[in-house]
Structures are given as C-alpha cells and as structure tokens.
Amino acid sequence: MKSSVKKRMGLQSKLYFILLIPLIVIGVIVLWTTNQSIQNASLSTMQLNNETLAKNTAQLLDKSAVKSLNTNSSEQSSEYKQLRNELNTLRLQTGILYIYMYNRVGNEWKITVDGAAWDDKDYSPFGTPVSFTLKETEEKLKQGETVTTDITTDPEWGTMFSSFTPIKDTDGTIIGYLGIDRSLSSVTEVYEHTLPEAYRLVIPVISIILIISIAAMMLVTRRILRQVRFIKNTLEQVADGNLTVTSSQVTYDQLGEISKLTNKMVEAMSNMIVDIQSSSSTLQHASENIVVTTEGTLHQTEELSRTLQQIADVSINQADQAVESVQQSDRLGQTLDEVGSHVQQFTDTAHHLNEVRNQVASEHELLLEKGRESALRIKQMQRMSHALTEKSREAANIGQQVQGIVKQTQILSFNASIEASRAGEAGKGFSVVAHEMGQLAQQSALSIREIDEILRSFVEQIEQMGDQFDENIKTVNEQEVQISVCLQSVDKVTQVSQEVQELAAHLAQLTAEMQEVRHSVDQHLNHTASAAQQTAGMTEDVSASAQKQALAVKELSEVARNLTTLSNNLQRHADQFRVKNAE
C-alpha cells in the first residue's frame, strides 16, 4: 500500500511539475518580451522625437541666412555666427549629442555650420567633407526625404542614431540639410524610467494568471489522478480474481473511456466465467453418469461372457453326445437285440436334448435382449457425448469472444501508449495505465489459452469416446446377428430333437425296420453333431465379442474418469474468479 501511495504521489508531483514549468517559462517570456518591447518602444519614440526635432528646426531656421551663407562661404560671416549660435542653443536645450548643417556641392557633401560650442576645439570647420554609411540614406536625401538611421557605433562618439532632413525655402527649393545626432544614453534613460512602470503593471497580471492557472491545474490534475486511481484499484481487484468490482467514471475524456471499457471487459469476463462454471458443472454430472453407466455395462458384459461360456460348454457336451450316438448307431446293426433296452435311454436322451435346446434358446434370447439394452445404453451415452461436444464447442466459442475482447484491450493499450508517447512528459501517467492494461490483457490471454487447451483436450477425449461408442454399437449389432444365427441353429436342433422323439416313440414297433433306417439315423446324427459344433463355434465368437466389448467398456470408463478430472480442473480454474452471479 505504501509503494502504491509513493507511486501515486510521484505521478502527482510529475504532473504538477510538467504543468508548472510551462507557466513559469511563459511568465519569464512575458517579462522578457515586455523588456524588449519597452526598449524598442523607447528607441522608436526617441527616433521619432529626434526626427520631429530635425524637421521643426529646419523650418525655424532663417532661410535668408542659410542662402547668404551658401553664397558667402566664410566662418567670419554674420550668417555663420547666427546659425551656429542657434544650433548650439538648441543642442544645449534638447541635450542632443551633435547638430550641424551641411550642403551638397557638386558630388560632395560638406558641412556648412557645426553646432558645437565656440570653445570646442574639435568642431568641424566649414567645408569639412561628410560621408554617409548607407547609400540609401544619401539617395533619400537627394529626393528631399527625411531619414532617421538605425543605431550605429562611432569610435569617437559611441553608440548613437541620426536624423537628416532637407532645409527648404518658401518655394520648396532645398537650400541645405540639417543633421542631428543623439546618443543612445538618452534612450536608456527613457527605458530605465519606463520599465519599472511597465513591471508594476505586468507583474501583478502575470501573478494573477499564474495563481488562476495553478488552481485550475490542481483541480484538473486531482480529477485525472482520481480517475487513474479508480482504474488502478479496479484492475488490481480483477487481477486478484474479483470480477464484481466496477470502475467509477469521474472524467469524460480518454481516461473516462478507459474506465468504461474496463467495466465492459470485467462484465464480459464475468459472463464468460459464469458460462464456464455452468458448463463445467454439466460436464461433471455427465461424466459421473457415464462412469456409472459404464460400470453397469461392464457388469452386464461380464455376466454375458459367463453365460456364453456356459452355452459353449453345453454345445461341446451336445457335440460329444452326438458323436457318441453315431458310435452307438454303428453298433446298432450288431446289437439290434439290445435296441429294446436302449429305447428308453434314447428317449431320455431326446428329452434331455430338448431341455438343452430350450435352455440354449432362452440363454440366447436373454443374451439378445441384454445386447439390445447395451446398444440402447451405448446410444444414450453417444447422445450424451454429442451434447458434451456441443457444450465444449460453445465454451470454445466463448473463449474466442474473450480472445476478441483481450485483443481489443491490447489495441486500446497500444493506442493509449501511442497517445501517451505523443503527449511526452504529460503522458507518462497514461503510459503506466496503458502498460498495466497490456499486462492484464496478456495474463487474460494466457488464462484463456489454458482454458482453450483444456477444452481442446476435452473435445478430443469426447471424440475418442464417440469412436469407442461407434465400435461398441457395431460389435453389439454383430453379436445380435450371431445370436440370431445361433437361434436358427437351435431351431434346427429342435426339429432334430422332435424327430428323435418320434423315432423313440415308434422304435418298439419299428425294430424290424430300424436296420433299414439306420443309415438315415446316422445322417441325422451327423447333422446334429455338425450343428452342435457350429453352435459351439458361434458361442465362442460371441464370447470373444463380449470380451472386446468389456475392454471397450473399461476404456470408456477410463475416458469418463479422465473427463471427470478435466471437468474438475476446469471448475477449479473458474472458481478462482468471483463473479456477481456466483455471489
């Protein structure tokens, strides 16, 4: 239990970590973006202000002084001094880095007025050449446009940007150009002043968003973990054999679908186990009935064998008596005078032969009746075997349905693993669930394979029983035919016995004629001996068939015991599961 708590807490911590890190990263990105935006906005604002300052200054300059300076090019002129004083004053008032005027003379750009202080020895004298870093700036100035450059780095003046604008006369003619350079430090001052204000606005908003996001994250995570906990508890109880448990559906996402599918799988497994228990009980009762029936059949077969042995002994005695009668008939001619004394003995022999015939006939009829009863029992067992085969096939079909459910569970586990791998770190919890479902599906598949093997072995045993039943029925039919032949032979013996009785009744009166009919009597006696021998042979065949039937019944009894063992094993495997119907 402690290990499961640790795993659950580990999964919860991971989910919190996975969801919290992006929020923190987003907050950092927002702050960095705010910083960059303010910095860019400060630069854009200063560039726009510098460009506006250049335009306004160009409009406020004395156009006549500019024209005069272009005509009288001298630093000693009053126009030069006037313009330099104006530019120097503007530089000091606005805090710009550098301001100057220049003009285009031929193909060259030259400074006309440097707005530096008068005591600045490093100022640019009149006519100092001017060069532009970008040709695009030069082309735009030629077209009369105002240009503001990007930030550049000068070895002497440091990081700065510049704005250039044409100085136009009242009629729109360009009479000169004005340039203003501004240091990046002014932009930094604006940036450092604006950034705290922006942070005071952005940080509370980000904090509120983080708090709301964390609260929502905790609610969603707890709901997900609760659903995972329900599914895990359900699968653990199913693994312990409890099929009465159900998984509660808390969420209505993929985890909720997994919980619903888990309940369907448990219900299907429960129905399958109930069917297996019912089938195994039926199979167990049927196998017990088969054992009882085979024991009764075996007992009857043994009695039949003993009866056939008695019939064989009687038939042998009858054959011996017939041989003896033939010998007596041979001596009949010599002992004709002794015929009178032997007439009564001959009559008794005829009566005894008739009794033996009646006994043989009754034994044959009894044997025929028992053979028919045995055939009926075997047919009944054969019908029971067919019913067991159908039940086994139904159980196998149920196993195939469960195999389909297990395959769907494996496919669902595989799809959940794919979705978990796509989700990355956020899908590790789903990957654990999918793995446990895959393990359960594999265990279920192994159990179903064992059940299928048991049912397959059971069906093979039943088919062997059916083959034994067919052989037993065939043997019983052959026995019935042989017994019918024996009865026909007994009828012939009856006819002979009746003829002997008639001869014995008239022997006293026909003593004189006995010599003439002796040959006929010999023929009849030989026929009687042949019939007795045939009866004995048939009886031995019937006895051998009865022994074969006894062996078949023993094999059937062994098969029935094996069937009972298999049904008990099947019942034991099914009883490992606890289902609702069983409760």
Side-chain angles (χ1 to χ4, degrees):
M1 186 64 184
K2 291 182 179 179
S3 61
S4 64
V5 172
K6 289 181 179 179
K7 291 180 181 178
R8 184 170 66 251
M9 292 302 295
L11 177 60
Q12 184 177 4
S13 300
K14 289 177 182 178
L15 288 176
Y16 287 161
F17 182 77
I18 290 169
L19 296 175
L20 186 60
I21 289 299
L23 294 176
I24 296 175
V25 172
I26 290 172
V28 173
I29 291 174
V30 169
L31 292 176
W32 180 82
T33 303
T34 303
N35 188 359
Q36 294 297 319
S37 299
I38 292 173
Q39 187 174 359
N40 293 332
S42 300
L43 177 60
S44 299
T45 302
M46 292 303 297
Q47 287 177 336
L48 181 60
N49 292 338
N50 199 55
E51 184 176 335
T52 303
L53 178 62
K55 290 180 180 179
N56 294 333
T57 302
Q59 291 177 0
L60 295 174
L61 289 174
D62 189 354
K63 307 299 188 298
S64 60
V66 175
K67 290 180 181 180
S68 299
L69 180 62
N70 291 334
T71 304
N72 299 318
S73 302
S74 173
E75 293 184 359
Q76 302 301 324
S77 63
S78 60
E79 291 83 3
Y80 176 84
K81 295 178 181 180
Q82 177 186 351
L83 292 173
R84 185 170 179 178
N85 287 329
E86 292 180 3
L87 296 179
N88 186 27
T89 302
L90 180 62
R91 180 180 62 81
L92 296 174
Q93 290 177 353
T94 57
I96 58 179
L97 180 64
Y98 195 32
I99 185 169
Y100 48 92
M101 291 175 55
Y102 59 95
N103 202 356
R104 182 176 177 82
V105 180
N107 293 328
E108 295 182 353
W109 298 88
K110 294 182 179 181
I111 291 180
T112 57
V113 178
D114 187 355
W118 289 99
D119 57 352
D120 189 355
K121 296 180 180 181
D122 295 329
Y123 82 101
S124 299
F126 183 87
T128 302
V130 177
S131 61
F132 296 97
T133 305
L134 298 176
K135 293 293 183 181
E136 183 180 358
T137 303
E138 186 176 358
E139 294 297 328
K140 289 183 178 180
L141 288 174
K142 291 179 181 179
Q143 296 175 4
E145 297 179 7
T146 300
V147 180
T148 299
T149 64
D150 294 329
I151 296 174
T152 59
T153 302
D154 186 87
E156 182 179 359
W157 301 100
T159 305
M160 63 180 184
F161 62 91
S162 303
S163 296
F164 305 103
T165 185
I167 302 173
K168 297 180 180 180
D169 197 1
T170 55
D171 58 356
T173 304
I174 297 176
I175 58 177
Y177 297 90
L178 179 67
I180 298 177
D181 298 336
R182 188 180 290 271
S183 176
L184 192 61
S185 59
S186 60
V187 179
T188 305
E189 292 177 359
V190 175
Y191 163 72
E192 290 177 352
H193 177 73
T194 308
L195 184 61
E197 297 295 332
Y199 279 168
R200 279 194 291 270
L201 176 63
V202 173
I203 290 176
V205 175
I206 294 176
S207 301
I208 294 172
I209 293 174
L210 284 175
I211 293 172
I212 295 174
S213 300
I214 291 172
M217 174 192 68
M218 294 180 65
L219 291 175
V220 173
T221 303
R222 288 181 179 178
R223 191 174 181 86
I224 291 173
L225 291 175
R226 185 182 178 191
Q227 183 66 76
V228 172
R229 185 166 59 254
F230 283 147
I231 296 173
K232 182 175 178 293
N233 293 334
T234 301
L235 295 177
E236 287 177 349
Q237 295 189 29
V238 171
D240 293 336
N242 184 11
L243 298 180
T244 61
V245 67
T246 56
S247 176
S248 300
Q249 184 177 1
V250 179
T251 62
Y252 294 91
D253 51 7
Q254 286 82 357
L255 283 176
E257 293 296 328
I258 291 174
S259 177
K260 188 183 296 183
L261 291 174
T262 301
N263 292 332
K264 290 183 180 179
M265 181 188 69
V266 172
E267 184 179 359
M269 291 179 63
S270 176
N271 294 332
M272 179 194 69
I273 294 301
V274 171
D275 293 338
I276 291 176
Q277 289 176 347
S278 177
S279 301
S280 61
S281 299
T282 304
L283 180 63
Q284 188 174 6
H285 291 305
S287 60
E288 292 175 355
N289 293 332
I290 292 173
V291 171
V292 174
T293 304
T294 52
E295 289 177 354
T297 304
L298 181 62
H299 180 69
Q300 293 178 359
T301 304
E302 291 176 353
E303 291 182 355
L304 176 63
S305 180
R306 288 195 295 270
T307 303
L308 291 175
Q309 187 63 38
Q310 293 177 359
I311 293 173
D313 294 339
V314 172
S315 299
I316 292 172
N317 293 331
Q318 183 179 2
D320 294 338
Q321 290 177 2
V323 171
E324 185 179 358
S325 298
V326 172
Q327 293 175 357
Q328 290 177 0
S329 178
D330 292 336
R331 295 194 300 269
L332 183 60
Q334 299 176 359
T335 58
L336 189 57
D337 294 337
E338 297 178 358
V339 171
S341 61
H342 292 89
V343 168
Q344 187 64 35
Q345 183 180 0
F346 190 75
T347 303
D348 294 337
T349 300
H351 284 294
H352 181 67
L353 181 61
N354 190 21
E355 292 175 358
V356 171
R357 175 260 166 197
N358 292 331
Q359 183 177 0
V360 170
S362 62
E363 291 293 337
H364 276 74
E365 290 175 356
L366 180 61
L367 180 62
L368 182 62
E369 185 65 22
K370 289 183 178 181
R372 290 173 179 173
E373 291 178 356
S374 178
L376 290 174
R377 290 190 183 96
I378 291 172
K379 289 180 179 179
Q380 184 179 4
M381 287 187 291
Q382 190 175 21
R383 288 192 297 271
M384 293 172 65
S385 175
H386 290 317
L388 290 175
T389 303
E390 293 297 326
K391 290 290 184 179
S392 300
R393 289 175 179 171
E394 292 178 359
N397 292 330
I398 294 172
Q400 292 177 358
Q401 294 177 1
V402 176
Q403 283 284 0
I405 295 172
V406 170
K407 289 180 179 179
Q408 291 180 358
T409 304
Q410 291 177 344
I411 292 172
L412 178 61
S413 174
F414 182 70
N415 290 333
S417 299
I418 293 174
E419 292 297 331
S421 64
R422 288 179 180 175
E425 291 294 328
K428 285 186 178 181
F430 305 128
S431 178
V432 173
V433 177
H435 178 71
E436 291 181 358
M437 289 186 66
Q439 292 293 331
L440 176 61
Q442 291 178 359
Q443 293 176 3
S444 301
L446 291 175
S447 301
I448 293 169
R449 290 193 189 100
E450 291 179 0
I451 294 173
D452 289 338
E453 291 295 331
I454 292 172
L455 292 175
R456 191 178 298 110
S457 174
F458 179 67
V459 171
E460 291 176 358
Q461 293 290 337
I462 293 176
E463 290 176 354
Q464 292 178 3
M465 288 171 57
D467 296 337
Q468 293 292 334
F469 289 154
D470 295 335
E471 292 179 2
N472 291 338
I473 291 174
K474 183 178 179 181
T475 302
V476 170
N477 292 332
E478 292 176 358
Q479 290 178 359
E480 185 176 353
V481 173
Q482 292 177 358
I483 293 172
S484 299
V485 174
C486 291
L487 289 175
Q488 293 177 2
S489 300
V490 170
D491 291 335
K492 292 181 180 179
V493 172
T494 302
Q495 294 177 3
V496 174
S497 177
Q498 290 176 357
E499 291 177 1
V500 170
Q501 288 179 355
E502 291 176 1
L503 289 173
H506 295 85
L507 186 60
Q509 299 175 1
L510 301 175
T511 303
E513 299 176 357
M514 189 171 292
Q515 188 65 30
E516 297 177 357
V517 299
R518 185 177 66 84
H519 182 67
S520 177
V521 171
D522 289 338
Q523 292 180 353
H524 286 292
L525 290 175
N526 290 329
H527 181 70
T528 302
S530 177
Q533 291 177 355
Q534 185 177 4
T535 301
M538 291 181 178
T539 306
E540 290 177 355
D541 293 338
V542 173
S543 178
S545 299
Q547 292 177 358
K548 291 181 180 180
Q549 183 178 0
L551 292 175
V553 171
K554 289 181 180 179
E555 292 179 357
L556 179 61
S557 178
E558 186 66 24
V559 170
R561 290 189 179 91
N562 293 333
L563 184 62
T564 302
T565 302
L566 291 175
S567 63
N568 291 332
N569 292 333
L570 183 61
Q571 183 69 30
R572 186 176 66 257
H573 286 294
D575 290 338
Q576 292 177 357
F577 296 92
R578 187 173 50 178
V579 296
K580 294 181 179 179
N581 292 339
E583 290 182 353

